[in-house]
Amino acid sequence: MNTDGATSWQAVRDEVLRRIREREWKPGDRIPHEADLARELGCARATVNRALRAVAEDGLIERRRRAGSRVALHPVRKARLDIPVIRVEVESRGLPYHFSLTSKSDELPPPAIRARMKTAPDTPLMHVVGLHMAGGRPHALEDRWIDADAVPGVRDADFSTISPNEWLVLNVPFEGGDIAFSATTATREDAAALDCAPGAALFLTERTTWHGTRILTTVRLLFAPGYRLHTEI
Amino acid sequence: MNTDGATSWQAVRDEVLRRIREREWKPGDRIPHEADLARELGCARATVNRALRAVAEDGLIERRRRAGSRVALHPVRKARLDIPVIRVEVESRGLPYHFSLTSKSDELPPPAIRARMKTAPDTPLMHVVGLHMAGGRPHALEDRWIDADAVPGVRDADFSTISPNEWLVLNVPFEGGDIAFSATTATREDAAALDCAPGAALFLTERTTWHGTRILTTVRLLFAPGYRLHTEI
DNA sequence: TTTCGCAATAAGTGCAGACATATTTTCGAG
DNA sequence: CTCGAAAATATGTCTGCACTTATTGCGAAA
């Protein structure tokens, strides 16, 4: 990185990781503060800061102002998960993609959905169901509820040409969301839609996204058998 | 953050996010380079750099030296997934944890495992099977293969008192790994171990970790029905 | 003895300037 | 016209310094 005597933040990070690995600093230990490390390693404090921030992001140390940095007691591996638009995911595997809209209507949501969307008892929500196809075969079944009042323009979206999944990603900014992954067995309807055996084990993704205090949408994505979500550490 | 006229990197980030959201900068567009933005927003280039780096980490822009930064064509949401030691995960739910070792032996791995571990045809590997219990009920079935030559000390580890999962996390540094999540149906053996119905849908995690060129271990974690992996964006 | 406020401390961040590095573009030689 | 070297340029990073902010711990007051 640098030809002169400067120490790169990566070098500092690696040295810190080495000390943690080799138990020079044990889980729970306070580690020297930034200024000391900077002096010891011969670099600016900002460089040490950058390095420690990186290590903290990986979950190996915990940092708090005034309290200092300490080696994490229970190292929690942090994996990064990429969640692409389904069309892109399918096409990146070289398969032609198609979305087919099954239904779209305003309905009173069942209690479970109403609770998740935190809407008033009598508020109807937009309910969209459709099937993502990959190479002519069913890939994922999307069952989505949208608070149309919170998502400007969604009433005019044509979900027969673009999936709600993609339309929302492209058109709706959101602050946060939560995602849960689980396994479930295919009901007879699921099986019919996804062209698999009833009772087959299916990978299920449930996502809810919000912006400010409003919950924008909640979706249930049921993937055809064989789907794997993959990531690297 | 700052009381004086200084612009915080968060403010720069928010302004950048705003411009992307409001289509001031459209997907695929080059955005102004750091120096220009710094001048425009009245801050140091380092501050803009920090902000843009953060936005890039979220996947909304792509940056390349000399080529500049551009708004991502297909915004890929990046979720962070915490992968705790199973014991910690169980205990954080307030349930007592217990690991029970089912078997541990050196065996010639089946071809699928051998391929994954990239070992020579006649190399035996350590094979450990055990059950993670939560509150007296089966929680997850761990089926692990370890290259004992690549993991110093593992031959002396007592997996009846500490799970291989936890022992490895605490004792073995590794560079990287890959993780796959999927759904599968319980075989009769799985069902017996996890105390569920055969054919039930189970959440499956497969992980392989390496260090340098050596593959250290590969594990198959099969969770009892009802398990959900949860994360936030 | 308890509690509250203040001083001390360590991380968090901002700035200006310099240099490093990866790419793209340009332009001259053949 | 093609190829390769050199120039240009945007991001990447380091430094030294100053100031901000969250937190802790201690000492004084109740």
Side-chain angles (χ1 to χ4, degrees):
Chain A
M1 288 283 150
N2 272 305
T3 50
D4 60 83
T7 308
S8 71
W9 68 265
Q10 289 96 334
V12 175
R13 178 199 56 195
D14 291 348
E15 173 62 14
V16 168
L17 290 177
R18 190 191 64 74
R19 293 186 186 184
I20 293 175
R21 270 207 316 266
E22 320 227 320
R23 295 286 190 279
E24 218 165 292
W25 295 337
K26 302 187 184 57
D29 278 7
R30 262 290 276 284
I31 72 176
H33 64 255
E34 297 185 350
D36 276 356
L37 274 177
R39 209 171 319 115
E40 185 193 333
L41 302 175
C43 64
R45 188 170 75 89
T47 306
V48 174
N49 182 282
R50 179 84 159 83
L52 292 186
R53 195 151 36 80
V55 177
E57 267 171 21
D58 283 351
L60 269 74
I61 65 174
E62 284 161 7
R63 324 191 70 203
R64 270 165 51 219
R65 285 193 185 181
R66 154 73 206 198
S69 303
R70 46 184 64 244
V71 180
L73 231 29
H74 300 299
V76 172
R77 297 309 305 195
K78 315 260 185 186
R80 300 187 72 89
L81 209 53
D82 288 355
I83 306 178
V85 167
I86 294 178
R87 179 179 60 74
V88 172
E89 187 190 7
V90 167
E91 287 174 350
S92 74
R93 288 196 221 156
L95 294 172
Y97 169 83
H98 175 70
F99 177 73
S100 110
L101 182 65
T102 306
S103 74
K104 174 185 165 188
S105 61
D106 283 4
E107 298 169 30
L108 273 179
I113 298 293
R114 191 157 60 75
R116 216 183 302 161
M117 300 282 293
K118 299 203 175 77
T119 50
D122 296 327
T123 318
L125 294 174
M126 183 182 293
H127 185 201
V128 185
V129 178
L131 190 63
H132 298 265
M133 308 283 293
R137 307 223 358 115
H139 177 66
L141 184 59
E142 175 170 348
D143 184 324
R144 184 183 291 270
W145 294 83
I146 303 170
D147 182 348
D149 294 332
V151 182
V154 72
R155 294 194 189 283
D156 304 320
D158 178 4
F159 291 144
S160 60
T161 55
I162 183 173
S163 74
N165 172 282
E166 185 161 6
W167 189 89
L168 287 161
V169 168
L170 290 174
N171 291 282
V172 183
F174 64 94
E175 271 171 9
D178 73 59
I179 311 184
F181 304 103
S182 56
T184 190
T185 42
T187 64
R188 199 160 30 239
E189 295 79 35
D190 297 335
L194 291 171
D195 189 19
C196 66
L202 302 179
F203 190 82
L204 173 64
T205 299
E206 289 163 300
R207 244 185 291 178
T208 300
T209 57
W210 65 79
H211 188 75
T213 56
R214 305 205 65 165
I215 297 192
L216 306 178
T217 179
T218 184
V219 63
R220 198 180 132 96
L221 279 166
L222 204 55
F223 289 87
Y227 179 81
R228 284 160 66 91
L229 182 67
H230 192 270
T231 185
E232 300 200 348
I233 295 189
Chain B
M1 289 282 149
N2 271 305
T3 51
D4 60 86
T7 309
S8 71
W9 67 266
Q10 290 96 334
V12 175
R13 178 199 56 195
D14 291 348
E15 173 61 15
V16 168
L17 290 177
R18 191 191 63 75
R19 293 185 186 185
I20 294 175
R21 272 207 315 264
E22 320 227 320
R23 296 286 190 279
E24 219 165 290
W25 296 337
K26 302 189 185 55
D29 279 5
R30 264 285 279 286
I31 72 176
H33 65 254
E34 297 185 351
D36 276 356
L37 274 177
R39 209 172 318 113
E40 184 194 334
L41 301 175
C43 64
R45 188 170 74 88
T47 306
V48 174
N49 182 283
R50 179 86 157 80
L52 292 185
R53 194 149 39 77
V55 177
E57 268 171 20
D58 283 351
L60 269 73
I61 65 175
E62 284 161 7
R63 323 191 70 203
R64 269 166 52 221
R65 282 190 186 182
R66 155 73 209 201
S69 303
R70 45 185 64 245
V71 180
L73 233 28
H74 300 298
V76 172
R77 294 311 303 197
K78 315 258 186 189
R80 301 188 57 96
L81 209 53
D82 288 354
I83 307 178
V85 168
I86 294 178
R87 179 180 61 75
V88 172
E89 187 191 9
V90 167
E91 288 174 349
S92 74
R93 288 198 219 155
L95 294 172
Y97 170 83
H98 175 69
F99 177 73
S100 107
L101 182 64
T102 306
S103 74
K104 174 184 164 186
S105 60
D106 283 5
E107 298 170 30
L108 272 180
I113 298 294
R114 192 157 59 75
R116 216 182 303 159
M117 300 282 293
K118 300 202 176 75
T119 50
D122 296 327
T123 318
L125 294 173
M126 183 182 295
H127 185 201
V128 185
V129 178
L131 191 61
H132 298 264
M133 307 283 292
R137 306 222 2 114
H139 177 67
L141 185 59
E142 175 169 347
D143 185 325
R144 185 183 290 271
W145 294 83
I146 304 170
D147 182 348
D149 294 333
V151 183
V154 72
R155 294 193 189 284
D156 303 320
D158 177 6
F159 292 143
S160 61
T161 56
I162 184 173
S163 74
N165 171 281
E166 185 161 5
W167 189 90
L168 287 161
V169 168
L170 289 174
N171 292 284
V172 184
F174 63 95
E175 272 171 9
D178 74 59
I179 311 185
F181 304 102
S182 56
T184 191
T185 43
T187 65
R188 199 162 27 241
E189 294 78 34
D190 297 335
L194 291 171
D195 189 20
C196 66
L202 302 179
F203 190 82
L204 173 64
T205 299
E206 291 163 298
R207 245 184 290 178
T208 300
T209 58
W210 66 77
H211 189 74
T213 56
R214 305 206 67 165
I215 297 193
L216 306 178
T217 178
T218 184
V219 63
R220 197 179 132 95
L221 279 167
L222 203 55
F223 290 87
Y227 180 81
R228 285 160 65 91
L229 182 67
H230 192 270
T231 185
E232 300 200 347
I233 295 188

